[in-house]
Amino acid sequence: MVARCQKCHRQEFADWQSGAHAATYSRIFLDRKKNAEQKLQDDCLRCHGMHFEGGIRDLVTPLDTTGPWRLVKPELANLPAIPCLACHEMHTHGAPLARPDVPAATPGPKQELYRPSLGLFDRREQLHFAVRALPLPEMRDGDRAVKISPDPRQALCYQCHAPRSGNQVSSGDDRTPMGVHEGLSCLACHLKHGQQTRASCATCHPRLSNCGRDVETMDTTFKDTHSAHNVHFVKCADCHPRGVPAKRLARR
Ligand code: HEC
Ligand code: HEC
Ligand code: HEC
Ligand code: HEC
Ligand code: HEC
Ligand code: HEC
Ligand code: HEC
């Protein structure tokens, strides 16, 4: 189906293809490190390969932690494991989309929060669950409840980028912003399809931050993915262990 969507939605396709969500079956199911750590199981297909018709035993062999692994159907190797229809339902419930009369004049509270097709394809039900039916998790940092943005679109991200049970921030695949970015939505920084973040810093940050520096040059995982300061979780105290310095007003 992706090739058909591509015909009309060229920009979305190009963005999706240049990002991590265009991962192929071979990238997800033949990863030597991952397969050696965790035994392949049917549940892997919940978050990638959800449209595969069959169980994991019909997809990869052998199902052990020693390998070498190969796809039962080699023709799947380069097919996308998170295609457009993983996140979009083509035939949504409700009235067909109408063209708004004067789009620019729609008052804020009447504007839509997200596109109607947005939802996760659930392979067990063989149905999409619309974003409005998906919960946002209650996240915790130790015992503290973490503030989380109410942006409903994130409920989709959390279905896959999920914490371990206990809902601790940064457990499992969780990236709930905490610290300096607590309360921001994933989509405040990540573009919808390619997930790039470059343009986002300047949409919120003045050229010089609290620190009197350009945040893009500061020591976070934005500048260098190996930085010890993960941009999702970094707190003032991580960089200022002896306390936040006083502002040098002269520079302003
Ligand atoms: C023949 C051209 C065409 C094809 C093929 C096509 N679309 Fe669309 N699509 C459109 C048009 C036109 C709109 C309306 C644009 C608008 O309302 O902003 C649209 C709107 C959308 C929207 C936004 C509205 C919503 O319901 O969320 C999404 C998402 C979407 N298409 C996804 C897809 C996907 C996924 C595929 C492949 C399965 C696909 N489209 C195939 C032309 C097409
Ligand atoms: C709850 C949804 C979910 C399930 C279940 C799941 N994954 Fe993933 N998988 C993800 C997410 C989200 C990422 C991206 C990880 C990140 O960057 O934090 C990912 C990334 C990957 C990657 C890319 C390399 C890497 O490690 O980041 C591989 C390979 C992979 N998964 C294989 C598997 C296999 C095999 C299973 C079953 C044992 C599995 N996954 C189960 C959501 C899931
Ligand atoms: C990982 C989930 C995911 C995948 C996969 C995905 N999309 Fe989207 N898509 C989104 C999100 C999130 C939005 C933003 C919805 C909003 O803001 O209302 C969106 C919005 C759209 C829109 C509406 C226009 C817009 O930019 O808001 C179109 C059209 C669309 N996607 C097409 C596609 C096509 C075509 C593919 C496959 C090439 C695809 N999407 C794959 C998550 C996804
Ligand atoms: C259907 C499952 C699924 C959904 C829904 C989903 N993701 Fe992902 N995402 C993945 C997997 C799997 C990977 C890892 C792919 C790989 O490494 O090959 C990933 C990778 C990423 C990456 C890593 C990019 C990189 O360069 O390493 C970002 C950022 C991301 N996702 C953000 C989001 C956001 C934001 C949303 C919600 C709009 C979202 N994802 C929704 C499964 C999902
Ligand atoms: C304040 C901005 C910001 C917010 C909010 C944000 N991210 Fe990120 N994210 C980044 C930056 C910057 C990177 C690293 C550089 C890059 O990949 O662009 C990144 C990287 C990632 C990666 C790749 C692995 C990593 O940790 O470097 C994943 C997966 C991811 N983000 C998921 C999410 C999800 C899911 C959410 C919402 C729960 C989210 N992000 C919210 C800025 C943000
Ligand atoms: C949606 C708005 C938003 C976006 C987008 C955003 N930030 Fe921030 N950022 C903030 C806020 C708010 C603070 C905290 C300011 C405070 O507490 O005074 C902050 C603080 C920081 C800090 C701590 C230093 C300081 O001066 O406060 C760094 C470093 C930082 N951001 C880096 C980034 C980078 C890199 C990006 C781009 C990937 C980014 N931010 C994108 C809103 C944002
Ligand atoms: C990624 C690391 C990092 C984070 C996170 C960070 N800072 Fe900074 N900050 C620095 C660096 C580096 C300097 C410059 C060296 C110094 O003065 O210690 C600095 C300097 C400062 C200064 C002195 C500015 C001046 O005029 O000289 C203040 C005030 C400050 N930070 C406040 C904050 C606050 C408030 C936060 C949290 C919202 C924060 N910082 C988060 C790295 C960081």
Side-chain angles (χ1 to χ4, degrees):
M1 286 301 273
V2 171
R4 301 195 183 200
C5 316
Q6 178 188 7
K7 276 196 189 139
C8 297
H9 296 292
R10 288 174 184 274
Q11 187 63 52
E12 288 82 6
F13 174 84
D15 290 346
W16 165 83
Q17 197 179 41
S18 66
H21 291 151
T24 59
Y25 274 82
S26 50
R27 154 106 177 133
I28 297 291
F29 297 103
L30 302 182
D31 188 284
R32 283 199 214 134
K33 195 168 157 270
K34 181 98 184 173
N35 290 359
E37 276 166 17
Q38 200 182 358
K39 209 169 164 238
L40 287 154
Q41 48 185 286
D42 284 332
D43 193 44
C44 307
L45 298 167
R46 172 156 56 108
C47 304
H48 19 51
M50 57 286 276
H51 296 97
F52 178 70
E53 294 183 15
I56 195 83
R57 81 173 85 82
D58 310 308
L59 180 59
V60 192
T61 190
L63 291 184
D64 59 20
T65 50
T66 44
W69 300 273
R70 60 177 181 84
L71 294 176
V72 177
K73 297 179 182 149
E75 64 272 23
L76 288 173
N78 293 318
L79 288 187
I82 311 176
C84 315
L85 294 178
C87 300
H88 293 292
E89 178 180 20
M90 275 306 92
H91 301 282
T92 45
H93 298 276
L97 277 183
R99 186 177 178 158
D101 289 340
V102 196
T106 313
K110 288 213 170 129
Q111 288 164 20
E112 65 173 20
L113 279 172
Y114 50 84
R115 306 270 45 211
S117 69
L118 205 61
L120 182 84
F121 180 70
D122 183 286
R123 67 180 258 113
R124 291 158 298 188
E125 299 292 344
Q126 295 284 301
L127 274 177
H128 280 84
F129 280 81
V131 151
R132 75 179 111 69
L134 298 174
L136 280 171
E138 282 170 23
M139 298 301 302
R140 311 200 75 84
D141 172 24
D143 290 334
R144 185 180 70 92
V146 171
K147 264 189 251 139
I148 145 169
S149 154
D151 179 357
R153 298 173 300 175
Q154 293 182 106
L156 175 67
C157 318
Y158 275 105
Q159 287 294 318
C160 300
H161 294 271
R164 289 196 208 290
S165 61
N167 286 13
Q168 283 295 318
V169 168
S170 92
S171 65
D173 290 334
D174 179 71
R175 296 292 194 297
T176 305
M178 195 174 62
V180 301
H181 290 131
E182 184 161 332
L184 300 190
S185 163
C186 312
L187 288 132
C189 299
H190 290 286
L191 293 182
K192 297 175 222 197
H193 291 110
Q195 307 307 331
Q196 293 87 343
T197 54
R198 178 73 203 275
S200 76
C201 314
T203 64
C204 288
H205 286 283
R207 197 173 67 80
L208 298 181
S209 71
N210 278 309
C211 308
R213 318 204 138 202
D214 171 355
V215 293
E216 293 186 22
T217 64
M218 291 176 71
D219 177 18
T220 69
T221 51
F222 173 78
K223 181 162 167 244
D224 177 357
T225 49
H226 300 294
S227 165
H229 300 134
N230 190 309
V231 72
H232 302 104
F233 315 126
V234 71
K235 300 177 175 162
C236 305
D238 294 339
C239 298
H240 297 290
R242 274 169 286 145
V244 174
K247 264 198 183 124
R248 263 177 268 156
L249 290 167
R251 208 189 281 169
R252 301 227 137 188

